[in-house]
């Protein structure tokens, strides 16, 4: 297990090193930071002082090493647009994105699993075929189009839900939450549903496929032969054997939701990391762009590493395969 753990952590470190190099290249070649941070009236002495403070006078390797060391401490520099520390901006925006992702994940499991079970056990019914058709639409339609449609119906026409913003939030230390206020909960509904629609269809199709495969196994036939009720067979036996891949995919998709929530956040003007990144691209705010890339990549790598380690704990064969694969080339 120790060899497997070391190999996974080494792979994670290599991926983060590559991402850090990409983020550094953004810093180095997308405009001169000194010219972007100072106005045209700045003197040459001020420019030289800022260049020295940012460590831009050293060679390529020295600058890259400084960038990596600073990033490991959470120091991504100063935002060109907001004139604040980038890490502070990320910390302020992360709770909004995280709460949106939590709502979307909950909806995808609470809706997708029952629909997937129904589509599997009633696979020849009209309702199952309708769900399959709707799932194709859910995968095909872009989230920004659905978000605009929801705003038109529920905000503009019916005026039931807010069209933008996060509502009233409560500060719990450095963490801000909208779960504790009525306006905050109402503001979560439309962006949460918009972000979750693709996940719902993904979970539904996965559960349906796994359930149909499980229902053909011998232990399900044995359960039927024992005279167990269909409800017990479907939910206590078949569904429980389908949940591991669902949980795995859901865990991996959390990283996707955080990364690609920027479209939903832009449509609903949700004050999260995604909207911050879009604004950074608009104003060429390079430190924020690089920090967003690093933070999202770290979340991806961390979740993938945890999932790999969890699988290895559940199935020892994966550890043996990984060790054998690592030693096979020697």
């Amino acid at each position: 297990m120790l060899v497997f753990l070391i190999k996974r952590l080494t792979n994670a470190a290599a991926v983060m090193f590559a991402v850090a190099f990409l983020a550094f290249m953004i810093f180095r070649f997308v405009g001169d930071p000194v010219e972007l941070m100072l106005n045209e009236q700045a003197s040459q002495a001020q420019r030289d002082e800022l260049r020295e403070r940012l460590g831009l006078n050293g060679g390529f390797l020295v600058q890259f090493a400084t960038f990596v060391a600073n990033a490991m401490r959470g120091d991504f520099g100063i935002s060109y647009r907001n004139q604040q520390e980038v890490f502070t901006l990320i910390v302020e925006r992360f709770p909004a994105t995280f709460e949106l992702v939590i709502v979307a994940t909950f909806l995808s499991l609470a809706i997708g699993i029952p629909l997937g079970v129904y589509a599997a056990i009633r696979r020849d019914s009209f309702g199952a075929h309708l769900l399959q058709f709707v799932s194709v639409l859910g995968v095909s339609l872009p989230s920004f189009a659905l978000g605009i449609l929801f705003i038109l119906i529920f905000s503009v026409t019916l005026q039931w839900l807010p069209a933008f913003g996060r509502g009233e939030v409560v500060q719990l230390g450095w963490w801000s939450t909208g779960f504790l206020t009525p306006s905050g909960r109402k503001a979560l509904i439309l962006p949460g549903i918009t972000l979750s629609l693709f996940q719902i269809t993904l979970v539904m199709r996965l559960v349906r496929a796994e359930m149909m495969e499980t229902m053909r196994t011998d232990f399900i036939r044995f359960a039927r032969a024992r005279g167990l009720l269909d409800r017990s067979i479907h939910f206590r036996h078949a569904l429980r054997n389908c949940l591991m891949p669902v949980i795995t995919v859901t865990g991996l998709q959390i990283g996707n939701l955080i990364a690609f929530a920027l479209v939903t956040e832009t449509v609903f003007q949700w004050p999260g990391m995604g909207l911050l990144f879009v604004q950074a691209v608009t104003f060429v705010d390079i430190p924020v762009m690089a920090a967003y890339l690093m933070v999202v990549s770290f979340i991806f790598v961390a979740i993938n590493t945890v999932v790999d380690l969890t699988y290895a704990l559940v199935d020892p064969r994966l550890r043996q395969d990984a060790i054998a694969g690592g030693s096979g080339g020697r």
Side-chain angles (χ1 to χ4, degrees), residues 47-62:
R47 298 175 187 273
D48 294 339
E49 180 186 359
L50 180 59
R51 190 174 296 277
E52 180 69 27
R53 182 156 56 89
L54 295 177
L56 300 177
N57 292 329
F60 181 87
L61 294 179
V62 174

Side-chain angles (χ1 to χ4, degrees), residues 153-324:
I153 296 174
F154 296 103
S155 299
V156 177
T157 304
L158 299 177
Q159 297 185 355
W160 288 353
L161 297 169
F164 61 90
R166 197 181 174 193
E168 185 181 357
V169 298
V170 175
Q171 289 293 141
L172 302 176
W174 65 272
W175 189 273
S176 61
T177 177
F179 285 134
L180 302 180
T181 63
S183 63
R185 290 190 292 268
K186 288 181 65 176
L188 272 164
I189 294 175
L190 286 185
I193 293 175
T194 302
L195 187 60
S196 69
L197 285 177
F198 177 80
Q199 297 297 113
I200 291 173
T201 57
L202 179 65
V203 171
M204 186 196 77
R205 295 172 71 90
L206 178 61
V207 170
R208 177 183 179 274
E210 292 290 331
M211 279 283 292
M212 292 177 64
E213 184 68 25
T214 304
M215 295 294 289
R216 291 193 289 264
T217 57
D218 291 336
F219 85 94
I220 293 296
R221 296 192 185 98
F222 180 70
R224 292 189 185 280
R226 290 176 55 195
L228 296 180
L229 297 175
D230 286 343
R231 179 178 299 179
S232 177
I233 293 174
H234 294 155
F235 293 97
R236 292 191 56 189
H237 297 280
L239 181 59
R240 290 176 63 180
N241 284 272
C242 301
L243 290 182
M244 179 59 76
V246 174
I247 293 173
T248 302
V249 170
T250 301
L252 295 176
Q253 287 297 315
I254 289 177
N256 281 330
L257 289 175
I258 292 176
F260 300 112
L262 59 90
V263 177
T264 302
E265 291 184 3
T266 302
V267 171
F268 291 94
Q269 288 298 291
W270 188 261
M273 292 194 306
L275 182 60
L276 179 67
F277 176 75
V278 172
Q279 293 171 344
V281 173
T282 302
F283 292 94
V284 199
D285 199 343
I286 301 172
V288 174
M289 296 163 58
Y292 179 85
L293 178 63
M294 292 286 291
V295 170
V296 172
S297 299
F298 176 78
I299 293 173
F300 264 107
V301 170
I303 291 176
N304 276 275
T305 303
V306 170
V307 170
D308 286 343
L309 295 178
T310 303
Y311 258 6
L313 290 174
V314 173
D315 190 349
R317 293 173 298 178
L318 294 177
R319 298 198 299 267
Q320 298 301 324
D321 292 343
I323 294 173

